[in-house]
Amino acid sequence: MTTHTADTANASRRMRAISQDVLGGPETLHETELDRPEPGISEVLVRVHAAGLNPTDWKHRSMGLFLGEPPFVLGWDVSGVVEAVGVGVTLFRPGDEVFGMLPYPHGAGAHAEYVTAPARAFARKPAGIDHVQAGALPLAALTAWQALADTADVREGQRVLVHAAGGGVGHLAVQIAKARGAYVIGTASAGKHELLRELGADELIDYRETDFASAVADVDVVLDTVGSDDYRSRSLRTLRRGGVLVSILPMNAEQLRAEAEQYGVRTELLIVEADHAGMNEIAALVERGRLRATVAETFPLEEAAKAHALGEAGHTAGKLVLTVR
């Protein structure tokens, strides 16, 4: 093999990625070059076209959380094309367009040109949406699906209160609850109300002007995406007996459970899981025109730090997405 050929072969086994060497602000993120991963047993190698951002990305960037100390590559949302499959994979073939969530939390790595993950973390990308739309969906949509469908078993005619309804999880939860026949109430700043009405919300509360606990009653399900003890405590008062509050953020479980018992309701803490069946349900909702991600803005991979800064400011509606050339 000539030197030129060897250099070309080595380059083909490398990839661009966004990494960090220390915990901190968006400025800690930098583009680097890493070895391209190889798919193991029951895994697929996916060439990333788009990768969504979620609040858990900037929380891990600044605090480490489940990932500990860097270096690491963040990102759990993926939409792309299968490049290769490992031994035992029967669901996909090279060339298939897929989208999914890398196993949370230790499977992070989507903010790169290639990722490997269990084949069953993915589903086929709906043909009617592009990779940016698909890349915005997985973690947030799975969170909403697992909270509302799997945990709360939302049914037709029930009343569902979604906090931070204009956020990444919230705006998808509104659509999923509506698709299941619920009456949906959302809390959001006034500037996001028009979007949420378009997505199907039946009733909206500007949390800056109105105490939702005084305005809402007889709710069957509350989806808490805010995480403060005050929000959860007030949410319990909106539930009818037998209702459930599902939180996607850490909570003072014992104290909240004791308070919930006084109202005859229950509380659940959900941490999202990679889920082939759930991704197929999400794909089906997309294909039926019942679910779409609102993409606030896209950034090229190398501008990940800018995307983090914007997302962390907390003023966007919907999702931010990194695009990979």
Side-chain angles (χ1 to χ4, degrees):
M1 180 180 292
T2 67
T3 301
H4 175 74
T5 303
D7 289 344
T8 301
N10 289 334
S12 70
R13 292 195 291 268
R14 303 286 282 175
M15 68 174 187
R16 293 185 304 129
I18 301 299
S19 185
Q20 63 188 103
D21 301 314
V22 295
L23 299 176
E27 71 281 355
T28 63
L29 299 172
H30 60 87
E31 185 176 330
T32 189
E33 194 174 81
L34 300 173
D35 288 333
R36 194 178 84 174
E38 296 294 331
I41 294 173
S42 301
E43 289 186 334
V44 292
L45 173 69
V46 175
R47 177 160 48 90
V48 180
H49 283 226
L53 280 165
N54 298 282
T56 193
D57 287 298
W58 39 90
K59 290 176 182 177
H60 277 87
R61 184 208 70 228
S62 61
M63 295 182 284
L65 299 180
F66 298 118
L67 298 180
E69 292 294 321
F72 46 65
V73 175
L74 293 169
W76 286 269
D77 283 336
V78 175
S79 182
V81 177
V82 175
E83 185 84 0
V85 301
V87 174
V89 173
T90 60
L91 291 178
F92 305 114
R93 294 285 183 268
D96 288 343
E97 293 190 320
V98 297
F99 74 137
M101 187 190 82
L102 306 184
Y104 187 85
H106 300 294
H111 298 165
E113 290 183 305
Y114 294 89
V115 294
T116 55
R120 291 181 180 274
F122 296 97
R124 294 184 184 277
K125 181 183 76 65
I129 60 173
D130 61 18
H131 284 292
V132 169
Q133 272 282 320
L137 282 167
L139 186 149
L142 275 180
T143 299
W145 177 264
Q146 290 171 8
L148 297 177
D150 295 345
T151 303
D153 189 25
V154 169
R155 298 182 300 280
E156 187 171 358
Q158 288 190 319
R159 289 166 58 83
V160 175
L161 172 60
V162 178
H163 285 311
V169 172
H171 85 290
L172 298 173
V174 166
Q175 297 172 74
I176 289 171
K178 287 301 297 180
R180 295 178 70 83
Y183 180 91
V184 180
I185 307 161
T187 64
S189 59
K192 298 177 181 178
H193 286 194
E194 182 177 355
L195 167 65
L196 291 168
R197 289 190 186 97
E198 292 174 0
L199 297 179
D202 298 288
E203 188 176 333
L204 293 163
I205 298 168
D206 183 352
Y207 66 90
R208 294 172 175 168
E209 301 291 335
T210 304
D211 176 9
F212 68 84
S214 300
V216 181
D218 295 326
V219 168
D220 296 283
V221 178
V222 176
L223 176 57
D224 167 40
T225 68
V226 176
S228 75
D229 289 340
D230 172 65
Y231 248 69
R232 284 189 284 246
S233 183
R234 285 191 286 146
S235 294
L236 293 178
R237 303 201 298 271
T238 70
L239 287 164
R240 64 179 58 178
R241 293 188 68 84
V244 58
L245 181 151
V246 183
S247 180
I248 64 170
L249 295 162
M251 60 185 180
N252 189 338
E254 291 304 320
Q255 178 181 328
L256 192 66
R257 190 175 296 117
E259 190 175 354
E261 288 177 357
Q262 297 176 18
Y263 294 102
V265 300
R266 65 187 175 95
T267 62
E268 299 284 355
L269 171 63
L270 171 77
I271 295 179
V272 67
E273 300 176 66
D275 180 1
H276 175 67
M279 286 305 305
N280 281 331
E281 294 283 0
I282 290 161
L285 286 173
V286 171
E287 288 167 346
R288 298 206 310 269
R290 302 304 303 271
L291 183 67
R292 65 179 175 88
T294 295
V295 178
E297 197 164 342
T298 63
F299 295 82
L301 181 67
E302 60 270 20
E303 294 184 7
K306 291 183 180 179
H308 271 243
L310 179 60
E312 204 164 11
H315 302 307
T316 57
K319 293 292 296 291
L320 301 173
V321 179
L322 299 179
T323 57
V324 185
R325 286 193 293 273

